[in-house]
Amino acid sequence: VQVALLNNKGLQASYADLGDSAADAWQTQLAVLPSFSVGLSGIGTPGLEAYRVLEGAIAANILALATYDKNMKLAETRFRQAQLNAALASISLAAETRVAWINAVAAWENVTYLNQAKATADAASDLAKKLGEAGSLPKADQAREHVFYAELAGETAKARLAAKLAKEELVRLMGLSGSDVEFQIPNRLPSLPKALINRDSIEAEAIQKRIDLQVARLELDATAQAYKLEDVTRFVTDIELVGMVEQERELEDGKIHRNISRTGSLEFTIPIFDSGQARMRKGELAYMRAANQLAEKAVNVRSEARSAYLAYRSNYDIARHYRNSVLPLRKSIEDQSLLTYNGMITSTFELISDAREKIDATMLAVNAKRDFWIAEANLAPVIYGGSTGSAAAESEVASAEAAPAGGH
């Protein structure tokens, strides 16, 4: 997760939106600066010291000055939204990366048991072949052992591909390339925790802390602020106060006479055939849309929080059931089969069959443990916002080839 947050270029690109919003706020602040103009005429007229008339004007947009505070508040709200969206992108990437790591590790843990099953099936197939050559095993029974090995070989190849693809998804999220993709993945997921996190108030916590809910609240505020601006400018769209100073010099009787005049004017624009009602109606509709979207998101957040905690607790109980009940029973069956085999009570094929069933149960236990850790990883996005992407949607991950003790 740390590597992804520091190295994922898509996340770095999303931060550019934050810079854009800051630039917009800066531009809003600069928009009310007055404009200046200077003009000269009669340049080079003999005896008039390089010019005849000097004009200067300063113009300021009164409407922009009057609505400056509202515009700045709106720009600040948008900037705060951009900040929260950047945080949301970071949380989403962290959650997606963590789930991808869980899926990849579970795939490589599964592959170990698949290879064990494949080795068992290989031994059974060889034994069936030898017994068949000796005439002690019918051809139908031989074919059953051979086809089981062949099917398991196909499943192992399929699992190997799925595990490699799971690792590649993790590589993409971490933003790695070249020799950096040769990192190792652990062979086993962490054991189940001894106790669960108490989240009895997870709904209230999510309502309080969800970043996307805060973004929706800010959108409602921004819509309301924009609506107030429309109300202020519904009839007049532009007002400017223009001040002018003109200095004119004339040569008379060998003397230069200066005449200075100052004028001021108010200029404004009224949109013809537009009373502002259409813009006001659009503002009202935009506000109602934002309000309903916020209400819907609040309802969804509460439901998502309940669902996530239910999945967290239920998957823990399921994984613990496999760990505490199913696997010990399978181990006991395997041990008893070995004893009866040593006592020449049961055949080799019965021993191998019990070993296969234990491996199947172990793989189910690994998948149950994986589902719990994914459910645990999904708690943070539910409380703080963000998504887990396609990785979270994967309910099962196929197995892949086994790796040495050092990892994959």
Side-chain angles (χ1 to χ4, degrees):
V1 169
Q2 293 176 357
V3 171
L5 291 176
L6 292 173
N7 202 51
N8 186 284
K9 303 306 180 186
L11 179 64
Q12 306 304 318
S14 69
Y15 290 157
D17 294 336
L18 186 60
D20 287 342
S21 182
D24 290 340
W26 186 20
Q27 188 65 38
T28 301
Q29 184 178 9
L30 296 177
V32 298
L33 294 178
S35 59
F36 299 88
S37 63
V38 176
L40 297 173
S41 62
I43 299 176
T45 302
L48 286 185
E49 301 179 0
Y51 72 89
R52 182 180 181 187
V53 178
L54 170 65
E55 293 180 337
I58 177 172
N61 192 310
I62 297 178
L63 192 60
L65 290 171
T67 60
Y68 174 76
D69 291 338
K70 289 184 173 63
N71 281 319
M72 281 303 301
K73 189 175 181 180
L74 178 58
E76 290 170 1
T77 301
R78 294 300 187 191
F79 179 66
R80 178 60 177 158
Q81 275 186 300
Q83 287 181 313
L84 292 176
N85 282 324
L88 201 61
S90 302
I91 293 175
S92 295
L93 177 64
E96 291 176 23
T97 306
R98 190 177 182 197
V99 171
W101 182 87
I102 292 169
N103 280 330
V105 175
W108 288 109
E109 185 174 358
N110 258 334
V111 78
T112 302
Y113 298 108
L114 267 177
N115 281 341
Q116 289 180 13
K118 184 171 175 287
T120 302
D122 189 18
S125 180
D126 288 341
L127 179 60
K129 180 180 179 181
K130 293 178 181 178
L131 291 176
E133 292 172 351
S136 302
L137 191 67
K139 289 186 177 181
D141 292 336
Q142 294 179 50
R144 291 189 186 95
E145 297 302 326
H146 294 329
V147 75
F148 177 75
Y149 173 75
E151 290 174 349
L152 198 55
E155 290 297 320
T156 302
K158 182 179 178 181
R160 184 180 297 113
L161 172 62
K164 291 179 179 179
L165 294 178
K167 182 179 178 181
E168 282 301 323
E169 181 179 5
L170 182 60
V171 167
R172 287 194 298 271
L173 291 171
M174 294 170 68
L176 301 179
S177 61
S179 60
D180 291 337
V181 304
E182 302 300 327
F183 64 91
Q184 291 185 340
I185 295 177
N187 292 326
R188 185 182 300 273
L189 284 171
S191 301
L192 295 176
K194 295 181 179 179
L196 288 176
I197 303 172
N198 186 11
R199 294 287 188 183
D200 292 336
S201 59
I202 190 170
E203 290 183 52
E205 192 174 2
I207 289 293
Q208 180 183 2
K209 297 179 179 179
R210 277 285 287 257
I211 294 179
D212 52 348
L213 201 57
Q214 296 178 39
V215 171
R217 291 193 188 103
L218 287 174
E219 180 62 31
L220 185 63
D221 292 342
T223 304
Q225 292 164 14
Y227 175 74
K228 292 176 183 177
L229 281 175
E230 291 289 351
D231 190 23
V232 171
T233 61
R234 60 184 300 188
F235 295 114
V236 180
T237 60
D238 198 22
I239 304 177
E240 279 194 340
L241 178 65
V242 181
M244 298 184 64
V245 177
E246 181 180 274
Q247 176 178 289
E248 184 176 353
R249 302 192 306 181
E250 294 182 348
L251 183 63
E252 184 177 348
D253 297 332
K255 296 181 179 180
I256 297 176
H257 300 276
R258 290 181 173 87
N259 297 316
I260 299 177
S261 63
R262 298 176 178 86
T263 61
S265 63
L266 185 67
E267 300 177 356
F268 59 92
T269 303
I270 300 178
I272 304 300
F273 306 120
D274 183 5
S275 64
Q277 292 297 327
R279 287 185 288 132
M280 292 291 292
R281 181 57 179 163
K282 289 183 66 175
E284 292 173 2
L285 292 174
Y287 182 84
M288 291 305 301
R289 179 171 58 250
N292 283 301
Q293 288 173 345
L294 175 60
E296 180 190 27
K297 184 169 288 292
V299 172
N300 293 343
V301 163
R302 293 170 67 92
S303 176
E304 291 169 8
R306 292 193 302 269
S307 298
Y309 191 59
L310 177 62
Y312 173 69
R313 290 190 62 90
S314 298
N315 280 304
Y316 178 79
D317 293 338
I318 294 170
R320 188 174 59 176
H321 172 72
Y322 274 98
R323 183 193 65 184
N324 296 343
S325 299
V326 176
L327 291 183
L329 287 173
R330 282 295 175 191
K331 178 67 167 58
S332 177
I333 292 172
E334 185 184 39
D335 292 342
Q336 291 301 317
S337 295
L338 184 60
L339 290 175
T340 56
Y341 172 76
N342 291 335
M344 302 183 70
I345 299 174
T346 57
S347 68
T348 303
F349 293 108
E350 291 175 319
L351 177 64
I352 292 175
S353 177
D354 290 335
R356 289 179 192 157
E357 292 177 355
K358 181 195 173 185
I359 291 173
D360 291 340
T362 303
M363 292 177 62
L364 290 175
V366 171
N367 290 338
K369 184 171 61 171
R370 177 208 62 205
D371 292 342
F372 163 74
W373 284 116
I374 290 178
E376 193 270 344
N378 288 339
L379 285 180
V382 163
I383 294 173
Y384 298 102
S387 66
T388 54
S390 59
E394 298 290 340
S395 59
E396 293 185 2
V397 175
S399 310
E401 64 177 349
H408 301 273

